[in-house]
Amino acid sequence: MTTRNPILNPGVRHHQEGDFTAAQVQLANRNSGIHLEMLQHDITPLGMHYLLTHFDVPYVKDTADWQLEIEGDVAAATSFDLKALMELPRVSEQVTLECAGNGRALITPRWVSQPWSYEAVGNAEWGGCRLSDLLAQVDINATAIELVFSGADQGIDGGVVHFFERSLSVQQALEHDAILAWEMNGLPLLPQHGFPLRLIVPGWYGMASVKWLRRITVIDHSFQGYQQVKTYRYRQDADDPGVPITGMRVKSLLMPPGIPDWLTRRRLLDVGVHEVSGRAWSGHGVAIDKVELGLNGNWSLAEVDPPTGKYSWQAWRGACDIGPGQHELSCRATDVNGQVQPLAPVWDQSGMGNNAVHRIEVWAE
Ligand SMILES: Nc1nc2c(c(=O)[nH]1)N[C@H]1C(S)=C(S)[C@@H](COP(=O)(O)O)O[C@H]1N2
Ligand SMILES: [Mo]
């Protein structure tokens, strides 16, 4: 008698309403979010940046025999150790990274996956070299179409066993200021952020920034890997082939004022004028034009700082005169291309790209 392996035959993924299951709590415990009070920092302190790790964190004990392999549609396969990478021109750049699934748990019904609310974002200073400088040392064949970036982490999703892999077109790899990073905020990458080497694709949602990078394969066709075609697409329903997700949508978050209630995180504050501040960002290096601060649905213009880097979020602040009782605070950003955050989530089958305005309840007395 044979039984069907439930891991390789998981059945159809579904939506859910109401309480979170133990499996979702387990996911949330592994994949932590930024604490919103960290929005006071330009650069998210190490250990406070959000984390999204699909499988197990691979453990590289010793970097002495570690190599980044480059193979496929190239004149000759080659590899680089960390020392060789470190001889390329250095870059160090602030990049805001957000998970494409951020906000998923705020869409009803909820897609069963990592249940983010607002917190899957951070801004770090990534140090390393440009991917384009490395590729300049590789003789890529004229037939090349895409580059596949392979992580060292293997697991199962949708019944499919695979390594975490994503591709970029040759043009995207050369033109998007991508970084091969071995440092975060001036220190070697923490194990959970991709030690010893990761890709950073500035301006894109986080899935493109492959951690624990160990191989780049040049291919003469379009990549059909699980993380490329089965997920990270905007879809209306399960049958929709969808469109690939690339750049981040315009978004802003506010730092909750006052003090939190331990169990509910509802905020308590004094009646009076409060300065409310936060961060705003958009995708593909597009700057923020304005941020509006909402008090019970009445919007006023906030002051926005200039960007500290092309791909870095921008600080904003405004004043709110808060009377006694319960109120809703919110914020809404518009980028220089005129893209504005929606007031309510825009439907997506797997809860991707939810950039609806951030809302929090406060009680003043
Ligand atoms: N190898 C590998 N790279 C990965 C992932 C992963 O699970 N494995 N997760 C991706 C996703 S979905 C996101 S949002 C970012 C998160 O990066 P962080 O954990 O450093 O914040 O890494 C991306 N790179
Ligand atoms: Mo993500």
Side-chain angles (χ1 to χ4, degrees):
M1 197 180 77
T2 54
T3 45
R4 243 164 113 81
N5 177 333
I7 301 170
L8 297 178
N9 301 280
V12 181
R13 283 273 275 279
H14 58 285
H15 291 93
Q16 217 179 43
E17 286 180 60
D19 291 345
F20 293 85
T21 60
Q24 286 163 68
V25 173
Q26 180 174 253
L27 271 178
N29 287 337
R30 281 186 66 82
N31 295 302
S32 51
I34 194 175
H35 293 178
L36 294 180
E37 62 273 29
M38 291 297 115
L39 294 171
Q40 69 192 283
H41 302 288
D42 263 340
I43 299 198
T44 308
L46 274 190
M48 303 302 292
H49 193 278
Y50 87 94
L51 272 182
L52 195 296
T53 297
H54 285 78
F55 307 132
D56 291 349
V57 172
Y59 180 40
V60 175
K61 241 186 256 159
D62 186 1
T63 53
D65 53 8
W66 179 93
Q67 300 269 337
L68 172 67
E69 313 282 346
I70 303 187
E71 57 190 45
D73 204 3
V74 290
T78 177
S79 64
F80 292 79
D81 60 15
L82 276 178
K83 200 169 146 284
L85 292 175
M86 287 175 184
E87 279 160 16
L88 292 168
R90 287 292 305 265
V91 282
S92 187
E93 194 165 23
Q94 282 184 40
V95 176
T96 299
L97 215 60
E98 184 189 8
C99 182
N102 199 14
R104 170 183 291 130
L106 303 171
I107 298 179
T108 308
R110 174 175 90 238
W111 181 242
V112 175
S113 184
Q114 168 64 26
W116 295 121
S117 303
Y118 292 108
E119 58 292 283
V121 66
N123 187 57
E125 174 95 30
W126 299 100
C129 65
R130 287 269 178 238
L131 173 64
S132 54
D133 285 336
L134 176 81
L135 295 177
Q137 307 220 342
V138 180
D139 201 353
I140 295 178
N141 293 341
T143 44
I145 296 206
E146 289 186 7
L147 275 64
V148 180
F149 299 87
S150 303
D153 48 329
Q154 192 189 30
I156 305 139
D157 192 2
V160 178
V161 178
H162 61 279
F163 284 91
F164 188 93
E165 294 180 310
R166 292 275 313 178
S167 73
L168 293 174
S169 71
V170 174
Q171 199 185 353
Q172 287 167 344
L174 294 173
E175 289 180 0
H176 286 46
D177 296 331
I179 300 169
L180 293 173
W182 53 82
E183 278 178 11
M184 183 180 187
N185 297 0
L187 289 170
L189 294 181
L190 294 174
Q192 61 270 40
H193 287 296
F195 181 83
L197 187 77
R198 76 176 300 171
L199 181 65
I200 291 289
V201 184
W204 286 44
Y205 279 117
M207 72 283 149
S209 295
V210 175
K211 304 194 275 190
W212 311 293
L213 183 65
R214 65 169 189 189
R215 192 183 322 109
I216 301 175
T217 310
V218 182
I219 59 173
D220 64 359
H221 53 276
S222 81
F223 180 58
Q224 298 298 308
Y226 188 90
Q227 302 290 337
Q228 193 75 25
V229 297
K230 296 288 182 207
T231 176
Y232 298 114
R233 300 176 87 88
Y234 291 121
R235 289 191 176 97
Q236 285 306 301
D237 54 53
D239 301 325
D240 182 356
V243 293
I245 295 175
T246 60
M248 297 180 291
R249 289 176 170 170
V250 62
K251 194 158 178 176
S252 60
L253 291 178
L254 64 84
M255 200 170 84
I259 55 171
D261 173 48
W262 156 238
L263 284 185
T264 61
R265 298 209 58 79
R266 279 194 211 120
R267 313 298 300 188
L268 183 65
L269 43 108
D270 295 333
V271 166
V273 178
H274 290 262
E275 181 177 271
V276 179
S277 63
R279 304 274 157 181
W281 65 95
S282 190
H284 295 305
V286 174
I288 292 300
D289 179 41
K290 66 172 181 185
V291 175
E292 294 157 289
L293 174 59
L295 176 60
N296 303 318
N298 298 314
W299 299 98
S300 61
L301 266 190
E303 169 190 293
V304 184
D305 286 351
T308 49
K310 181 175 176 191
Y311 297 107
S312 160
W313 61 18
Q314 290 169 243
W316 61 264
R317 69 200 65 76
C320 262
D321 191 358
I322 301 178
Q326 188 180 308
H327 305 276
E328 184 198 75
L329 291 176
S330 56
C331 57
R332 174 168 68 175
T334 305
D335 71 18
V336 295
N337 288 345
Q339 299 295 315
V340 57
Q341 292 185 249
L343 293 175
V346 172
W347 173 253
D348 179 80
Q349 155 80 8
S350 43
M352 298 292 189
N354 178 7
N355 65 336
V357 299
H358 183 195
R359 297 170 192 279
I360 61 162
E361 294 298 329
V362 300
W363 184 274
E365 63 177 39

